[in-house]
Amino acid sequence: MFLQKAKDLGNRMMPAFSTKSGIPYSDVNIKTGRAHAPRWGPDSSTSEVTTIQLEFNDLSYTTGDDKYKNAVGKVRRHVHDQPKKDGLVPIFINAQTGKLRDPATISFGARGDSYYEYLLKEWIQTGKQDERLRRDYIEAMEGMKKHLLRKSKPNGLTYIGELLSGRTFSPKMDHLVAFISGTLALGAHHGLPTDHLDIAKDLLVTFNEMYVQMPSGLSPEIAYFSTDIDAKTDIIVKPPDSHNLQRPETVESLYYLYWLTGDKKYQEWGWNIFQAFERHSKVKTGGYCSLNNVRVAEPSCKDNMESFWLGETLKYFYLLFADKNLLPFDQWVINTEAHPLPIHKH
C-alpha cells in the first residue's frame, strides 16, 4: 500500500517537470496537476530542484519505472552544465530558461543548502558510479573554503558566510548551515579529502557555541560573526533573528560526528541541547513549541510546533543516543528530511 501511495504521489508531482528546460516549477497542485512558478517571482529555489534526486531515484528503484529518476537526472545534468563560481551556485534558478539567476546570493543556508548535501548523498546512494557528482561536490567544497569559510574575531570561531549578489561577503550564517558538518564528515568517511573532517569538527564547535552562548541554551535562527578584533563577542544575534524553530541541523551533525569519530563530547553537547529544549520548549498540555527569543533566560513560546521537530530533530536525538549506530553509513543514506534510503550496490 505504501509503495502504491509513493508511486501515486510521484505521478502527481511529475507535471512540475513540464518546463522548457526540464527544471521543475516550485509549485504543483497534486489534485489538478497544474504546476507553476511561485507567486512571489519567476524562479525556483536551487535547493528545491536539486533535493528530489534521492527520493525519485529510490522510487524508480522500488517500482522499476525509470521515469522518475530520468526526470531528476535531467535536472542534475542541466545544473551540472551551468556556469558556477568555483562550484558554488546562486540560490535561484529559472524553470523555463534553466539559467541560474545572476546576480543572486550564494549561501549554504536557505534555498542553497541541500544542493551541496545531495551532490554527495546521490553519489553515495548510486554506488559512487557518477563521477560528475563527486567532482561537483569536491569543487563546491573547495569553492566554499576559498570564498565563504572564515574565522570570527576575536576568538577564531570557524563559520561559513554568504556572498550577496554572488560577490560581496557577509558574515551571516543560518542555523540551517549546520548540516554541512555532518555532510563533510560523511564524505570523508566515504574516501573524500580528510581535511573535510577537520573542517566539520571546527564548524561543529561554532554551531555548538551558538547554543552555549545564548542565555536560554538554544540557538538563534541566524547569527552574524564579528570581524572586529576588539569585539566583546564573536557571535552577534539581531532581534529579528533571535527565535528558535526547533531545527534539526546541529543535532544531525552531532549524530554523524559522534558515530564517525566515537568522541563522546558530541553526545554531551547533544544532551545539553536536549535538556534546554526540555526546559523551555516543552508544553505542559502536550507537545513542544518554537521559541520567540533565545537571548533571554526564559524565552516565551510561539503558538506552533514545527513538523520537523518530530520528523527530524527528535529522530536525530534518538540516533545520537542509541546504543549502536542504527543506520550504518555504508548501508543507508539519510535524506534531507531524515528519512533513511538504502544504498544501492552496482
Side-chain angles (χ1 to χ4, degrees):
M1 179 186 74
F2 289 114
L3 180 57
Q4 288 302 315
K5 289 293 184 183
K7 185 176 180 178
D8 180 45
L9 181 58
N11 289 337
R12 292 172 185 269
M13 293 177 67
M14 289 299 289
F17 297 91
S18 59
T19 61
K20 292 178 181 178
S21 68
I23 298 295
Y25 286 119
S26 67
D27 294 28
V28 59
N29 185 315
I30 60 173
K31 180 180 180 179
T32 65
R34 181 176 176 270
H36 56 83
R39 302 299 184 194
W40 45 262
D43 297 334
S44 299
S45 298
T46 305
S47 61
E48 282 180 325
V49 306
T50 55
T51 313
I52 45 180
Q53 281 68 20
L54 293 183
E55 297 77 8
F56 274 50
N57 285 343
D58 197 72
L59 187 57
S60 282
Y61 185 84
T62 53
T63 63
D65 190 338
D66 285 349
K67 70 179 181 183
Y68 308 109
K69 74 174 186 180
N70 289 342
V72 296
K74 182 178 180 181
V75 174
R76 179 67 77 196
R77 291 189 297 273
H78 182 93
V79 176
H80 168 80
D81 291 336
Q82 293 299 298
K84 305 175 183 69
K85 187 181 185 75
D86 294 321
L88 304 177
V89 294
I91 60 174
F92 293 110
I93 186 168
N94 188 281
Q96 288 296 345
T97 67
K99 293 182 178 179
L100 291 161
R101 187 195 293 182
D102 185 20
T105 294
I106 291 173
S107 173
F108 273 58
R111 304 188 187 278
D113 46 7
S114 44
Y115 163 74
Y116 305 101
E117 177 186 0
Y118 270 38
L119 286 175
L120 174 69
K121 290 184 174 179
E122 189 181 5
W123 176 67
I124 295 169
Q125 179 198 37
T126 54
K128 304 177 184 177
Q129 297 298 302
D130 192 336
E131 184 64 14
R132 288 174 304 179
L133 292 167
R134 189 188 70 84
R135 287 200 307 266
D136 284 356
Y137 175 75
I138 291 177
E139 182 185 10
M141 295 307 102
E142 291 300 311
M144 176 268 288
K145 288 155 62 175
K146 178 179 179 181
H147 297 290
L148 304 179
L149 193 67
R150 301 285 176 90
K151 296 276 191 182
S152 66
K153 296 177 181 179
N155 295 306
L157 293 175
T158 302
Y159 70 96
I160 295 175
E162 298 182 346
L163 290 181
L164 305 180
S165 299
R167 294 167 179 82
T168 305
F169 183 81
S170 170
K172 167 183 174 286
M173 187 166 73
D174 298 352
H175 185 282
L176 287 165
V177 180
F179 84 93
I180 194 62
S181 283
T183 299
L184 285 165
L186 182 65
H189 170 75
H190 281 280
L192 299 186
T194 56
D195 73 316
H196 287 193
L197 181 58
D198 298 328
I199 297 169
K201 292 177 180 178
D202 290 345
L203 284 167
L204 196 47
V205 169
T206 305
F207 295 123
N208 184 57
E209 287 297 311
M210 288 170 62
Y211 285 80
V212 170
Q213 293 190 26
M214 297 301 113
S216 64
L218 292 170
S219 172
E221 176 72 357
I222 297 169
Y224 289 79
F225 290 83
S226 171
T227 58
D228 181 1
I229 193 64
D230 295 320
K232 294 181 179 179
T233 181
D234 292 59
I235 298 175
I236 302 160
V237 181
K238 300 180 180 181
D241 306 326
S242 64
H243 53 288
N244 178 285
L245 297 179
Q246 309 167 282
R247 289 199 183 276
E249 291 80 17
T250 295
V251 186
E252 171 187 357
S253 284
L254 289 170
Y255 158 68
Y256 279 107
L257 267 292
Y258 172 66
W259 287 109
L260 289 170
T261 69
D263 191 333
K264 287 190 174 293
K265 74 181 179 187
Y266 298 118
Q267 282 189 323
E268 293 167 4
W269 293 357
W271 182 247
N272 291 336
I273 293 170
F274 179 74
Q275 291 291 86
F277 276 121
E278 285 287 294
R279 286 194 303 273
H280 302 305
S281 185
K282 194 170 186 176
V283 178
K284 291 181 179 180
T285 53
Y288 290 76
C289 65
S290 297
L291 298 164
N292 283 305
N293 182 9
V294 299
R295 300 180 304 161
V296 299
E298 297 294 334
S300 60
C301 267
K302 290 176 173 284
D303 188 19
N304 75 305
M305 180 176 75
E306 297 290 348
S307 61
F308 47 72
W309 167 253
L310 297 176
E312 299 182 67
T313 311
L314 287 179
K315 185 184 293 184
Y316 279 120
F317 274 128
Y318 178 79
L319 292 169
L320 173 62
F321 302 133
D323 292 333
K324 63 178 182 179
N325 187 5
L326 300 174
L327 297 172
F329 301 129
D330 296 314
Q331 300 175 33
W332 299 93
V333 64
I334 304 174
N335 80 350
T336 197
E337 302 300 326
H339 303 309
L341 298 170
I343 295 172
H344 303 307
K345 307 297 183 181
H346 292 261

